[in-house]
Each structure stands twice: as C-alpha cells, then as structure tokens.
Amino acid sequence: MTDNCSTFFVFKISRGIKNSIFICTVPSLRRMGCAGSSQTRAKGGVNRIKKPRSWKHPQPIPISQLIQLRDEFWDTAPHYGGRKEIWDALRAAAEADPKLAQAIVKSAGIIMQNPDMTVCFDERGARYELPKYVLSEPKNLIRNS
C-alpha cells in the first residue's frame, strides 16, 4: 500500500489500523488517488459532516454567553498550533450549513477524524480540535437574554 507514496502519515481513528487514514504528502500522488488518501476516502462518503450529538452545558447558558465563548475560542485557537488559514476554514465550516461546510472542508484539504468535525487534521498532519460549543448549541440554551 505504501509503494505508491514516498511519505505518509498514519492517524489512528478508533479501532486500530483497519480504520486508520493514510495521507500522501506528495501532491502529484494525491491527485492520482494514492491508496487511502483523503480524496480516495471522500469518494466513499466517509467524510460527511454531521452536527454533533445533542449535549448539555453544565449550567443553563444564555445565547450571549455562548457567542462570547465561541468568539474567545476562535480568537485564541490559532495560537495553539496549526495554520491560521485552516482555522479560518474550520470556523467558516462550523458556522455554515452541512453542505457548504463539506465544500469548505474539502477545498481546504481538511481531513476529519469524526463526522462532527470535533477532531480534524490538515494535509501536513497538524491536529485541530473543536469543542462542541462552536459546532452546535446546547440543549439547555437560554434564548432570551
């Protein structure tokens, strides 16, 4: 499987090598459909974006506080690693409807470990973790604040 790739990264997803993602780092080989590349996996519909499961904040939270949490996360996230343009694409995808989010993720070359976008990787192997509060609203959200 690695004969076609001069360099590759392996990311364990959950159940061992069977569910790992292999990413070719040589651009011309990725276009050819290197075994296990993100393009090959995307054809099978593995990278469909879904909203995270419903969740509850420890205390009921007003929408203004949720917006503040999201803004603080997006302002500080690039300082913890990864590339700014990937963080910007992740923010745009998190704030978009699922079809548009799928197009944004694909065009930015982002590989999703989870269909809910909580863990993603760029093509260089940098890891991006997104908390649920930037991806969806909690069940106990207070809308009138």
Side-chain angles (χ1 to χ4, degrees):
M1 177 157 46
T2 60
D3 294 339
N4 296 334
C5 303
S6 61
T7 308
F8 67 94
F9 297 101
V10 178
F11 302 106
K12 281 198 170 184
I13 293 178
S14 61
R15 297 184 192 115
I17 198 75
K18 181 178 177 185
N19 291 333
S20 294
I21 299 173
F22 295 86
I23 305 148
C24 294
T25 59
V26 180
S28 61
L29 292 177
R30 277 191 53 244
R31 282 192 292 271
M32 293 175 15
C34 183
S37 71
S38 59
Q39 290 179 348
T40 304
R41 291 182 59 85
K43 290 178 186 173
V46 174
N47 290 334
R48 287 272 186 245
I49 292 179
K50 298 178 184 175
K51 288 285 184 188
R53 289 184 183 178
S54 60
W55 60 282
K56 237 180 163 177
H57 195 272
Q59 299 174 355
I61 181 173
I63 196 160
S64 59
Q65 189 176 354
L66 179 64
I67 291 168
Q68 182 181 359
L69 281 172
R70 288 176 175 178
D71 288 341
E72 287 174 6
F73 173 79
W74 292 120
D75 288 344
T76 59
H79 301 291
Y80 295 105
R83 298 185 338 223
K84 173 114 173 65
E85 54 273 7
I86 298 296
W87 283 113
D88 292 343
L90 286 169
R91 182 176 190 170
E95 295 173 352
D97 66 80
K99 282 188 177 186
L100 179 56
Q102 185 69 41
I104 293 168
V105 164
K106 185 176 179 180
S107 67
I110 297 169
I111 297 103
M112 295 183 308
Q113 179 174 330
N114 303 325
D116 63 2
M117 289 180 49
T118 53
V119 179
C120 302
F121 296 91
D122 65 18
E123 290 179 330
R124 295 180 181 175
R127 183 180 175 110
Y128 301 82
E129 292 187 41
L130 303 179
K132 288 184 180 183
Y133 64 81
V134 300
L135 299 167
S136 66
E137 296 176 346
K139 290 191 283 188
N140 57 346
L141 181 69
I142 302 170
R143 295 206 179 267
N144 299 333
S145 60

